Amino acid sequence: MEREMTLLRRQFLSGSAALTAGTALGLHSGPSHAQLALGDFKIDVVSDGSLTLPGSFIFDPMPKEELLAILEKHGQSAEVLTPPCNVTLLRQGDRTVLFDVGAGPDFSPNSGILLNSLDALGVSPDEVTDIIFTHAHPDHLWGLLDDFDDPLFPQASYMIGKAEWEYWMNPNTITDIGEARASFAVGAQRRLAMIEDQISLFEDGDEIMTGIAARATIGHTPGHMALEIRNGSEAVMVLGDSIGNDHIAFSRPGWISGSDQDPETAAETRIDLMDQLSHEKTRVIGYHLTGNGTGYVDKVSDGYAFVAEA
């Protein structure tokens, strides 16, 4: 754990002022929350707080002059990013499903409030029946364990993409991933090993639960998955980090981002997703999109735009 925290602080918190979760999310009372209706699916989007990241983490590979103009248009600092962390909760009948589990207390000082957000809805950890991971980065996975290193959701079964599981559980990943992300691999392996007997693996196109289908959206991580929740002709796409912000990712989806492990593939994924989502007018839930992350992708003259729902 000490090694994880040392590397994380060095990468993410150096030179950035820590913000409270409420300040980073622009909230005045209580965590961010949205509720969507989709047939008999009851979908809530709840907050795990926010991150504080150096702008260089994403922006370093990008052409500076054009980048700065786009950021100014969106009111986004080039120096510090404070993205929200939006966790999707789905309830149907006797199933209570989480898509990712947030960061827990050991990643960022402004995140780790998922339990408070669930409590506000009257949902306790032992009522969660299923957890589906988009990918195994810390802010999506590290909320898996409690203060005693036991699974925080004791009644849940777990699901993750096969390629994602194989990548993070490969012992070579810790050295191959590079020093800046070595703590990601250490933390992922330790946590995933705790649920190895309760986890099942899925692949692109699988209907992993009734009305929930997997969509390979690789690049941000080697096995990243988005999840489409569908009821008849209506659908919502849980994006995870396949579209990671509401400014540069939309304005210039083909640009290389420093946050992606395979930047070229991630850019191709974003372009394909933007085209599909804007054409089909599919509602999206983005883990790091502004506010509570719900809205639509709109095609505009020089790229795409995120149309947030109120």
Side-chain angles (χ1 to χ4, degrees), residues 134-138 141 160-186 188-190 192 201 218-224 259-262:
T134 62
H135 65 299
H137 273 171
L141 173 69
I160 194 170
K162 184 173 184 289
E164 189 76 356
W165 171 269
E166 291 176 346
Y167 174 75
W168 293 106
M169 294 303 285
N170 184 336
N172 295 326
T173 296
I174 293 174
T175 54
D176 293 346
I177 199 173
E179 182 180 359
R181 287 186 168 96
S183 60
F184 289 17
V186 172
Q189 286 187 17
R190 186 170 73 84
L192 291 173
L201 309 181
I218 60 174
H220 184 67
T221 62
H224 189 288
S259 66
D260 297 322
Q261 291 185 221
D262 181 346

Side-chain angles (χ1 to χ4, degrees), residues 265-305:
T265 300
E268 293 173 5
T269 292
R270 275 192 300 275
I271 292 169
D272 288 345
L273 264 180
M274 295 284 189
D275 181 64
Q276 175 194 343
L277 295 169
S278 62
H279 177 73
E280 297 178 356
K281 306 299 182 188
T282 301
R283 178 183 272 165
V284 300
I285 302 172
Y287 199 84
H288 296 304
L289 300 187
T290 189
N292 53 45
T294 63
Y296 295 86
V297 178
D298 190 25
K299 181 76 176 73
V300 296
S301 60
D302 60 345
Y304 298 87

Side-chain angles (χ1 to χ4, degrees), residues 21-23 25-32:
T23 301
L25 288 170
L27 306 175
H28 299 287
S29 60
S32 178

Side-chain angles (χ1 to χ4, degrees), residues 86-198:
N86 302 305
V87 177
T88 302
L89 170 74
L90 180 149
R91 286 174 282 183
Q92 181 196 38
D94 60 355
R95 310 299 286 271
T96 298
V97 184
L98 279 176
F99 296 78
D100 297 328
V101 293
D106 296 328
F107 182 60
S108 171
N110 310 320
S111 60
I113 67 168
L114 177 60
L115 289 189
N116 293 339
S117 299
L118 293 176
D119 184 64
L121 296 179
V123 177
S124 66
D126 59 5
E127 291 177 306
V128 175
T129 59
D130 305 274
I131 292 171
I132 304 170
F133 294 109
T134 62
H135 65 299
H137 273 171
D139 52 322
H140 298 253
L141 173 69
W142 285 20
L144 180 68
L145 304 180
D146 64 17
D147 293 339
F148 301 97
D149 270 359
D150 293 321
L152 185 58
F153 304 93
Q155 305 303 317
S157 61
Y158 304 89
M159 289 168 272
I160 194 170
K162 184 173 184 289
E164 189 76 356
W165 171 269
E166 291 176 346
Y167 174 75
W168 293 106
M169 294 303 285
N170 184 336
N172 295 326
T173 296
I174 293 174
T175 54
D176 293 346
I177 199 173
E179 182 180 359
R181 287 186 168 96
S183 60
F184 289 17
V186 172
Q189 286 187 17
R190 186 170 73 84
R191 288 164 177 83
L192 291 173
M194 296 290 291
I195 57 170
E196 187 166 6
D197 293 338
Q198 296 117 296

Side-chain angles (χ1 to χ4, degrees), residues 38-90:
L38 193 70
D40 61 347
F41 290 125
K42 181 179 181 181
I43 301 171
D44 293 270
V45 184
V46 298
S47 177
D48 189 50
S50 66
L51 304 179
T52 302
L53 308 174
S56 59
F57 178 63
I58 289 177
F59 301 142
D60 259 5
M62 301 178 180
K64 295 300 182 286
E65 186 173 343
E66 189 175 353
L67 167 70
L68 292 174
I70 294 171
L71 295 181
E72 182 177 2
K73 176 182 175 183
H74 287 269
Q76 168 62 51
S77 165
E79 304 302 321
V80 179
L81 293 138
T82 57
C85 298
N86 302 305
V87 177
T88 302
L89 170 74
L90 180 149

